[in-house]
Amino acid sequence: LLLGRQEKYRFIKHHKFKFPVGKMCKMLKVSKSGYYHWLVREPSKRWSENQAITLLIHDVFKDSFGSYGAPRIKAELRKRGHYISRPRVARIMRANNLFARRKRKFRFTTDSNHNYPIAPNILNQDFTVDRENQVWVSDITYIQTKQGWMYLTVIIDLFHRKVVGWAMNRTLSTNDTIIPAWKMAVISNPVTKKLIFHSDRGSQYASYSFTNILKNYNGRVKQSMSRKGNCWDNAVAESFFKSLKVEWAYKHDYGLKTEAESSVFQ
């Protein structure tokens, strides 16, 4: 009974072969003549718009692997030239049982309890840059498989927000995480100008084996580290990992570690 008149008429139309029209009209408190009058009319402009918008929302939701909620779907529709309010998008999503995937349980990958020197927070949450290879941010996350955990390290260039280097291995050692990711990044993106490299305070980033590599660039690379316990200092990398997991990894059930590695690469 909370449905609007148009929704009631559509309900009757869709169920007319299952229930008598007269009884449905009586139960839904609408007139039988009103229903038949509605039946022969052209669909209203608002109803036609809602139908078209619903199809668009389904497409965006599917493209996001079921991860986008109303705010992100609204933003994507705006990019496509459709200016629709977030509440309207949310109503249509609820009516069509479209609910975004949520985060799963958390596993720590950062060990900041070490005796290595900590770099200052040079980046200080300023994520705006003017050129490529001006600021790189990095982080480490985990991917679950039936054979155990795989640890993924990425390096992202803030200029175009693309991954320029990455590594995926079975341990959290420096030689299996940031060092191979760094080597991949500098092969295709040689460091010829000043570069800020920002990460958390994890032992992988603070270790001498990695910091000595950065020192070989004769001052061109300045290392920056987040404040303790402040995820916002590395928000771009955190956001990337959330999207990667919700939009891709969580929709797979990885059996083999090699299967997870191939999937994440894809």
Side-chain angles (χ1 to χ4, degrees):
L1 296 177
L2 295 177
L3 296 175
R5 187 177 300 273
Q6 300 291 326
E7 287 78 10
K8 291 178 181 180
Y9 287 156
R10 283 193 286 275
F11 178 88
I12 295 171
K13 179 181 177 182
H14 293 155
H15 294 83
K16 63 183 179 181
F17 297 110
K18 188 174 182 180
F19 306 107
V21 170
K23 287 187 177 181
M24 286 192 288
C25 289
K26 185 177 181 180
M27 289 295 297
L28 295 175
K29 297 183 178 181
V30 293
S31 69
K32 191 173 180 180
S33 61
Y35 164 70
Y36 284 115
H37 178 69
W38 169 85
L39 198 61
V40 297
R41 287 188 306 165
E42 290 291 326
S44 69
K45 181 179 179 181
R46 180 73 171 184
W47 183 85
S48 299
E49 287 179 353
N50 274 339
Q51 290 297 98
I53 292 169
T54 299
L55 292 176
L56 286 171
I57 290 174
H58 270 281
D59 288 343
V60 174
F61 188 77
K62 182 179 179 181
D63 290 343
S64 75
F65 299 103
S67 67
Y68 279 15
R72 295 178 77 181
I73 287 184
K74 173 198 168 186
E76 181 61 31
L77 291 176
R78 181 178 290 267
K79 291 178 184 178
R80 301 184 185 188
H82 302 279
Y83 295 86
I84 304 159
S85 70
R86 187 203 59 77
R88 188 178 178 190
V89 172
R91 287 195 301 270
I92 294 174
M93 290 182 69
R94 285 195 300 269
N96 289 269
N97 292 316
L98 301 178
F99 300 102
R101 296 174 183 267
R102 300 301 177 194
K103 295 175 71 174
R104 294 186 181 179
K105 60 184 179 181
F106 179 77
R107 178 179 177 85
F108 284 101
T109 57
T110 298
D111 178 15
S112 57
N113 296 319
H114 54 73
N115 296 319
Y116 297 118
I118 300 299
N121 185 10
I122 300 172
L123 188 60
N124 196 27
Q125 297 188 21
D126 183 4
F127 303 119
T128 57
V129 295
D130 302 318
R131 60 172 173 82
E132 293 182 345
N133 302 335
Q134 181 179 344
V135 179
W136 290 354
V137 297
S138 180
D139 202 0
I140 301 171
T141 193
Y142 58 92
I143 303 292
Q144 188 174 18
T145 78
K146 292 180 180 178
Q147 288 187 324
W149 299 100
M150 290 288 284
Y151 299 97
L152 173 67
T153 307
V154 299
I155 298 175
I156 300 172
D157 189 323
L158 285 189
F159 182 72
H160 43 51
R161 304 295 175 97
K162 292 183 179 180
V163 175
V164 293
W166 69 284
M168 192 168 180
N169 283 294
R170 304 183 184 192
T171 76
L172 280 168
S173 72
T174 303
N175 289 327
D176 282 342
T177 53
I178 184 54
I179 289 181
W182 176 267
K183 289 180 178 178
M184 178 187 290
V186 296
I187 286 175
S188 55
N189 301 272
V191 180
T192 58
K193 297 181 180 180
K194 295 289 186 180
L195 169 69
I196 295 175
F197 179 80
H198 185 83
S199 68
D200 59 29
R201 298 181 169 204
S203 59
Q204 298 89 348
Y205 298 106
S207 66
Y208 294 123
S209 55
F210 178 62
T211 56
N212 286 338
I213 291 175
L214 301 186
K215 291 176 182 178
N216 290 332
Y217 287 86
N218 299 319
R220 290 194 301 274
V221 180
K222 288 187 177 181
Q223 192 168 15
S224 171
M225 290 185 180
S226 301
R227 289 165 292 183
K228 190 172 184 178
N230 193 325
C231 63
W232 298 108
D233 285 344
N234 204 11
V236 173
E238 296 274 357
S239 177
F240 170 79
F241 278 148
K242 178 182 177 181
S243 295
L244 173 72
K245 289 186 175 183
V246 173
E247 297 173 21
W248 187 252
Y250 288 168
K251 68 187 292 288
H252 294 84
D253 185 17
Y254 299 122
L256 305 176
K257 291 182 176 181
T258 53
E259 179 185 355
E261 186 173 13
S262 176
S263 174
V264 169
F265 173 75
Q266 181 184 354

